[in-house]
Amino acid sequence: MKSRAEGAAEFVAHLAASVERGSRLGTKDELRVRCGVSVGTFNEALRLLLVRGVVTVRPGSGGGLFAAEQNPMVRLGNSVLALDASEADVTEALRIRGALEPLLWQDALWHASPADVRDLRVILKEMREAAEAGDADTFVRANWNLHRRVADVAPNALLRSLYTNLLDLVASHTVGVQPGAGLSLDEYVLDRYRQHAAMVDALDERDEAALMRHVADHDSVAGGVIKG
């Protein structure tokens, strides 16, 4: 299920796609009202739009949000959204996303600030609380938010755009969680939490060898999302 921020971002993205590049879409408040969301939710949607290169923001009189002049790298990343989301497409999206994971975390290793790490630990806390409560749906949403936050750190625009769009494709066609063989759902979710905590710890310690090992373990675990 899409979050309200993702829904608002999708609305603005469709609006931006319907006008010429560089066209003014409106002020933040005007667009927020059209989306029917809170200030905090719209700010999160705006963050997603800026990361994906969909809009630009200009201050002052006559400012607001404008449809971005997308470069070829951003267009390539956004083209993932044009896929027909059949089961085969989602499976391929998962496979490609998994191949990008080491690059994403390796970039984040050398560019994450203390503030970035603090944000990741806040999300990890949400994951742990959801895992301990046996709330798999909330856990998965927090898990995706963690990966999106890692993508925010990556300086490579092409990698960031490709990865986040693949993640959005998978997230929008996920209906539940399926544990790996021999694990209960609760065990699976707790194990995933521990894996992500180890990845963030290694990132914080700038331990590249440990991080790459944890990322490989994370990607090799059987089970995962049920795609609808």
Side-chain angles (χ1 to χ4, degrees), residues 50-73:
L50 290 170
V51 166
R52 295 168 191 171
V54 176
V55 301
T56 57
V57 178
R58 300 178 195 170
S61 178
L65 272 64
F66 292 77
E69 295 284 354
Q70 293 187 356
N71 61 41
M73 290 196 304

Side-chain angles (χ1 to χ4, degrees), residues 57-217:
V57 178
R58 300 178 195 170
S61 178
L65 272 64
F66 292 77
E69 295 284 354
Q70 293 187 356
N71 61 41
M73 290 196 304
V74 173
R75 287 198 298 271
L76 176 60
N78 289 339
S79 70
V80 175
L81 295 179
L83 286 173
D84 172 32
S86 67
E87 182 175 350
D89 289 330
V90 176
T91 299
E92 281 301 295
L94 278 167
R95 188 171 71 89
I96 297 168
R97 197 204 76 168
L100 295 177
E101 288 278 1
L103 293 173
L104 188 79
W105 284 88
Q106 192 171 43
D107 271 14
L109 178 76
W110 301 115
H111 294 89
S113 68
D116 293 324
V117 174
R118 284 195 297 271
D119 285 350
L120 292 174
R121 293 202 182 281
V122 168
I123 301 172
L124 274 175
K125 182 174 180 289
E126 296 172 4
M127 293 171 64
R128 188 190 70 237
E129 291 173 349
E132 291 173 347
D135 186 347
D137 290 339
T138 298
F139 177 85
V140 169
R141 287 194 293 272
N143 182 1
W144 287 330
N145 287 337
L146 182 83
H147 285 268
R148 290 189 182 97
R149 188 65 184 84
V150 172
D152 286 347
V153 178
N156 186 312
L158 176 58
L159 173 60
R160 189 170 62 242
S161 183
L162 281 170
Y163 183 87
T164 55
N165 281 297
L166 286 164
L167 182 59
D168 288 345
L169 177 65
V170 173
S172 66
H173 292 276
T174 298
V175 297
V177 180
Q178 175 179 294
L183 292 175
S184 70
L185 182 57
D186 288 349
E187 290 170 334
Y188 174 76
V189 171
L190 280 169
D191 185 58
R192 296 299 279 179
Y193 161 73
R194 286 189 289 266
Q195 288 177 331
H196 286 83
M199 290 157 68
V200 172
D201 285 344
L203 184 150
D204 190 15
E205 295 164 5
R206 299 295 194 265
D207 188 337
E208 184 173 9
L211 178 59
M212 292 299 97
R213 184 172 65 252
H214 292 313
V215 169
D217 290 343

